[in-house]
Amino acid sequence: MATATLSKEERLAAHYAAIEAASKDPTLSPATGKPLSKTTLFRFGAGFLVFGILWMSGLGIVSAVLLPEHYKAIEGADPEALVGIVNAFTAVASLVSNLMFGNFSDRSRSRFGRRTPWIVFGALLGGVTLFLTGTTHNAVLLTIYYCACMFGLNCMIAPLVAILSDRVPSGVRGTMSAFYGAGSTIGAPIGTMIGALFITNLIPGFAVAGVLMFLGGVVAVIIMPKEAPADFLPKDEGSFKDVLMSFRPPKFSTAHDFYKAFVGRFCMLISYQMINVYQLYIIQNYIGQSVKQSAVTISVVSSIIMVVSLIGSFISGPLSDFIGRRKVPVIVASVLFAIGIAMPWIFPSSMGMYLFAGIAGLGYAVYSAVDQALLVDVLPNKEEAGKDLGILNLATTLGQMCGPILMSAIVVNLGYSFAFPVSIALAIIGCFFIQIIKGVK
């Protein structure tokens, strides 16, 4: 019987039956209760890959190259101080928007689906405002545009990541998560290289960045299988207060694994950001290289990280699905990352940084590829996947905020020799919280 001929009650019953069937059989899609063809799986994988490449390339053009250069043209502002101020505001914007749009997409009942309209809207908002960021020399207006871009970006990311829970069988989520992780890994250096081409002609560069951001959401929606209508799902008839209450996180008493995963990711991201943001300063101030020498070293480090990240991303996701384990790859990745951090601490030289790049880069790539699938597996309520994934992704944003702050405080007061063991300890603590998750293998 065609779906169009079924009543809303029958479609709702079939929806719940599909979710129940998929919870028991990892080969079945939660959206249909049936296995997905190889062609369909390929389209999901390609969609996640292209999405990661395009949005990260667009953002990388601006954040890594054009925006720091653009700050120099703003009269009366210290570029270095402005970086910190703008980053603080955009971090808050990311915190709010990821949770907000995840929840809104959960509650959507569009005939175009729950996630698709938000992804397209986010693509438009993110692309336009990313371009506008480069058109103003007013620091306040620039900050507003860039924050709006973060709203658009998270309006795409939160619903799109929720597709892993909505439509992808649990048995292949590691692979799909790896495609998204690999796309982001590829997109970052591509964005930096494109941005370098426009460093003396900024406006066209901002335009290219905006187009790439826009295409990220639109092309992903086109490539992925069309989302089914959601107009048959029960509508929320509550008051504005009820809508606000819907943002509440899951109860701790019924979602222990959810919060263990949150703490595990939070600790790992702090550890990662402590070292990642300070790479150049570690090379110059701890190892003792000149500016010219450090430029060569960090270029080699970036190249090594890119290569091992691609290898780690594409291998770890399918391997996680094959062995039916999420925790083991994430734990191994955390340990590798901790070992990698120890390399420049023990060997303060170019070789120490290269070992860091190879070992820690591989560890973080494996972690990023599989951790997203693990987060989906610990969700307490599949009907609130967007909102709950938004909460879990707050761990990423908070880690990105806290890592550089903690590193700065330690370096200023105690020196780099104390920063490395703290970063290692945080990675191991994150590993411990993943280990004690009980509901996921």
Side-chain angles (χ1 to χ4, degrees):
M1 186 182 296
T3 302
T5 64
L6 297 176
S7 67
K8 287 189 176 182
E9 291 76 14
E10 290 171 323
R11 292 162 66 193
L12 183 61
H15 170 72
Y16 290 135
I19 293 175
E20 178 66 21
S23 68
K24 298 176 181 178
D25 188 340
T27 66
L28 303 182
S29 166
T32 62
K34 300 176 182 178
L36 297 183
S37 67
K38 290 184 179 180
T39 300
T40 300
L41 287 173
F42 174 81
R43 291 178 65 184
F44 274 120
F48 282 116
L49 178 67
V50 171
F51 175 68
I53 292 173
L54 290 176
W55 82 256
M56 183 59 89
S57 295
L59 188 63
I61 290 172
V62 172
S63 64
V65 182
L66 301 190
L67 201 55
E69 188 68 22
H70 186 53
Y71 287 150
K72 298 177 183 178
I74 298 178
E75 294 184 8
D78 180 349
E80 293 183 352
L82 196 56
V83 168
I85 294 170
V86 174
N87 283 351
F89 277 101
T90 54
V92 173
S94 295
L95 279 170
V96 173
S97 58
N98 197 290
L99 176 59
M100 184 175 75
F101 289 116
N103 191 14
F104 286 170
S105 69
D106 286 339
R107 300 167 70 87
S108 295
R109 300 296 181 259
S110 165
R111 63 188 180 90
F112 299 105
R114 289 195 292 173
R115 314 300 181 187
T116 300
W118 293 103
I119 295 171
V120 174
F121 172 70
L124 181 61
L125 176 62
V128 170
T129 52
L130 188 61
F131 165 67
L132 291 176
T133 301
T135 64
T136 179
H137 291 82
N138 182 293
V140 174
L141 192 57
L142 182 151
T143 304
I144 292 172
Y145 284 146
Y146 206 29
C147 286
C149 178
M150 294 303 103
F151 269 77
L153 176 59
N154 285 286
C155 188
M156 290 191 287
I157 291 177
L160 197 133
V161 171
I163 289 175
L164 281 171
S165 174
D166 292 348
R167 304 169 65 189
V168 176
S170 61
V172 293
R173 281 179 190 151
T175 301
M176 296 300 113
S177 176
F179 275 111
Y180 175 55
S184 301
T185 300
I186 297 169
I190 289 176
T192 301
M193 288 185 285
I194 295 175
L197 299 175
F198 293 97
I199 197 166
T200 58
N201 196 11
L202 299 185
I203 293 298
F206 277 100
V208 170
V211 169
L212 290 174
M213 178 76 76
F214 170 74
L215 290 176
V218 173
V219 174
V221 167
I222 293 172
I223 292 176
M224 289 184 177
K226 184 179 179 181
E227 185 180 8
D231 53 356
F232 64 90
L233 294 173
K235 293 184 178 180
D236 295 306
E237 303 293 344
S239 63
F240 180 69
K241 180 181 178 181
D242 294 326
V243 174
L244 291 178
M245 294 298 288
S246 71
F247 285 93
R248 288 179 302 180
K251 292 182 179 179
F252 180 78
S253 60
T254 59
H256 290 169
D257 287 345
F258 178 88
Y259 288 102
K260 291 171 187 174
F262 182 96
V263 175
R265 172 174 266 213
F266 176 60
C267 290
M268 183 62 174
L269 263 294
I270 292 179
S271 176
Y272 173 73
Q273 287 297 320
M274 284 180 67
I275 306 302
N276 186 59
V277 172
Y278 273 74
Q279 282 185 67
L280 185 62
Y281 297 140
I282 289 171
I283 294 170
Q284 293 177 350
N285 301 332
Y286 179 69
I287 294 177
Q289 293 188 353
S290 66
V291 173
K292 195 171 184 179
Q293 290 171 325
S294 66
V296 175
T297 300
I298 201 161
S299 296
V300 176
V301 166
S302 298
S303 299
I304 294 172
I305 290 176
M306 181 176 178
V307 172
V308 299
S309 294
L310 288 173
I311 294 171
S313 297
F314 281 120
I315 291 177
S316 57
L319 179 61
S320 172
D321 290 336
F322 178 75
I323 65 176
R325 297 287 189 272
R326 303 290 186 226
K327 287 166 54 175
V328 172
V330 172
I331 290 169
V332 170
S334 300
V335 173
L336 277 175
F337 187 75
I339 293 172
I341 294 171
M343 292 298 100
W345 180 33
I346 299 171
F347 309 110
S349 62
S350 297
M351 183 54 65
M353 287 303 299
Y354 300 156
L355 289 171
F356 158 78
I359 300 171
L362 178 62
Y364 190 72
V366 173
Y367 184 93
S368 300
V370 182
D371 184 57
Q372 193 68 62
L374 184 146
L375 297 184
V376 173
D377 289 346
V378 300
L379 294 178
N381 185 350
K382 299 298 182 183
E383 292 301 309
E384 297 180 349
K387 182 259 292 183
D388 288 343
L389 281 170
I391 293 172
L392 288 172
N393 283 327
L394 293 182
T396 302
T397 306
L398 288 171
Q400 290 170 342
M401 290 172 59
C402 295
I405 295 172
L406 178 60
M407 184 69 169
S408 176
I410 294 174
V411 169
V412 169
N413 294 288
L414 300 172
Y416 284 96
S417 295
F418 289 88
F420 289 107
V422 171
S423 180
I424 292 169
L426 284 166
I428 298 302
I429 292 170
C431 176
F432 168 76
F433 276 94
I434 298 300
Q435 171 62 35
I436 61 175
I437 290 175
K438 296 180 179 180
V440 177
K441 294 181 181 180

